[in-house]
Amino acid sequence: MTNEDLQAWVEDISLKYFGKTFDHRVYFNQRLRSTGGRYLLHSHHIEVNPKHLDMYGLMELEGIIKHELCHYHLHLSGKGYRHKDKDFKELLQQVGGSRYCKPIGKKQREPYRYIVICKDCKAEYKRKRKMNVDQYVCGKCKGKLVQRSIHPQNGS
């Protein structure tokens, strides 16, 4: 689907479900990561995540578009356009839009890079970031801490 196809489709959805025209631009944005779409308050344009179309198909994307159109039409008419507003929740339910979008993929967890060990009780604390062990003591026995790198080739 091209941006032109998306534009025509959104205009049709707007007329069919909202009874109003969509007079701004809608386009795919590859850089969206954690959301299915985004309504831009200042320009009134809508950005859509193409990964949702690839992973879940047209029905999921239609729900996302209806959600963004709720923001669009309510904002332009001066009503409550935010997620917490009653107007938004009611309109979203009327048109059958998605309240939440499906996840695209799990975020890759950063592995632990450091391990902090208590000299006295040998308790271990895994850490992603380096810390100043002189400022802290063991949470179990108040002993002195030593920091070691789990991957010595990556530094420290």
Side-chain angles (χ1 to χ4, degrees), residues 8-22 59 62 66 69 73 91 94-96:
W9 190 38
V10 170
E11 290 171 3
D12 290 344
I13 291 173
S14 183
L15 279 174
K16 183 178 178 183
Y17 291 96
F18 296 87
K20 299 177 182 179
T21 60
F22 176 71
M59 291 301 293
E62 184 175 320
K66 288 176 183 176
L69 284 172
H73 288 300
L91 183 59
Q94 279 178 359
V95 298

Side-chain angles (χ1 to χ4, degrees), residues 121-136:
C121 72
K122 308 297 185 216
E124 295 183 354
Y125 303 95
K126 293 180 179 176
R127 304 277 301 167
K128 292 182 181 181
R129 295 182 180 169
K130 202 173 192 178
M131 64 180 270
N132 185 354
V133 292
D134 297 332
Q135 294 180 346
Y136 300 93

Side-chain angles (χ1 to χ4, degrees), residues 25-127:
R25 302 292 308 149
V26 63
Y27 49 88
F28 288 113
N29 183 347
Q30 299 277 352
R31 291 170 287 140
L32 293 177
R33 290 179 184 251
S34 62
T35 184
R38 173 166 69 180
Y39 167 63
L40 303 170
L41 288 173
H42 297 293
S43 65
H44 307 296
H45 298 322
I46 294 176
E47 297 178 340
V48 177
N49 191 337
K51 293 173 194 157
H52 276 84
L53 176 61
D54 297 339
M55 289 182 76
Y56 301 112
L58 289 173
M59 291 301 293
E60 175 71 15
L61 193 63
E62 184 175 320
I64 292 168
I65 290 168
K66 288 176 183 176
H67 178 106
E68 301 309 326
L69 284 172
C70 286
H71 288 299
Y72 173 81
H73 288 300
L74 289 170
H75 181 246
L76 291 180
S77 62
K79 296 181 180 173
Y81 62 89
R82 295 179 295 180
H83 291 126
K84 67 180 181 177
D85 294 329
K86 184 180 177 186
D87 293 331
F88 178 81
K89 290 177 182 176
E90 289 174 355
L91 183 59
L92 189 65
Q93 189 162 12
Q94 279 178 359
V95 298
S98 302
R99 182 81 171 110
Y100 305 101
C101 64
K102 294 181 181 178
I104 293 178
K106 291 189 176 184
K107 185 179 177 185
Q108 189 70 17
R109 244 186 103 162
E110 184 180 326
Y112 295 110
R113 295 175 56 200
Y114 300 98
I115 190 163
V116 177
I117 303 167
C118 175
K119 284 185 174 180
D120 298 337
C121 72
K122 308 297 185 216
E124 295 183 354
Y125 303 95
K126 293 180 179 176
R127 304 277 301 167

